[in-house]
Amino acid sequence: MQLLCDLLSQVGEFREPDRIEPLRGLSNRNFRVVLGQDEYIVRLASPHAERLGISREAEAKALGLAHTAGLGPEVVRYVLPEGHLIARPIAAQPFSETPNRF
């Protein structure tokens, strides 16, 4: 939790969130952060991304392009080289465990 607090303290308007909720993630720690009426998703990136072949610089570019094309969330802050990010959530339903068949 200290890493999350440190990250939020670096971003002015995020210094004193109203609520923080942990979310599930495969290799990163994720949180829902609420500030007044606004909600954000914060990803604390795994420090071992390079072992998985992840380029955080390429990811940042891809996320920006995805948002511009209407395919991804707005990234409010992306912290390099670590790859921590703060994004606005997308209103969507989660994938089903048993997808529909055509």
Side-chain angles (χ1 to χ4, degrees):
M1 191 64 92
Q2 185 60 47
L3 182 57
L4 175 64
C5 292
D6 291 346
L7 174 64
L8 294 176
S9 72
Q10 295 174 21
V11 184
E13 68 272 18
F14 290 90
R15 286 191 180 127
E16 296 182 25
D18 296 317
R19 191 169 72 238
I20 297 173
E21 301 171 17
L23 301 172
R24 293 186 326 174
L26 295 175
S27 62
N28 304 301
R29 290 182 290 162
N30 301 290
F31 300 88
R32 177 178 291 118
V33 175
V34 178
L35 296 163
Q37 298 298 315
D38 295 320
E39 183 177 318
Y40 301 89
I41 303 301
V42 177
R43 177 192 72 192
L44 298 179
S46 167
H48 308 293
E50 69 282 349
R51 290 186 201 168
L52 301 172
I54 298 170
S55 164
R56 294 299 187 192
E57 290 80 12
E59 179 187 48
K61 290 178 187 175
L63 288 171
L65 291 170
H67 175 67
T68 299
L71 300 172
E74 174 191 358
V75 176
V76 176
R77 177 70 59 96
Y78 196 96
V79 180
L80 288 172
E82 296 88 349
H84 306 312
L85 68 84
I86 300 171
R88 295 191 184 275
I90 295 175
Q93 295 297 317
F95 287 110
S96 169
E97 298 271 337
T98 54
N100 296 332
R101 297 188 182 198
F102 297 97

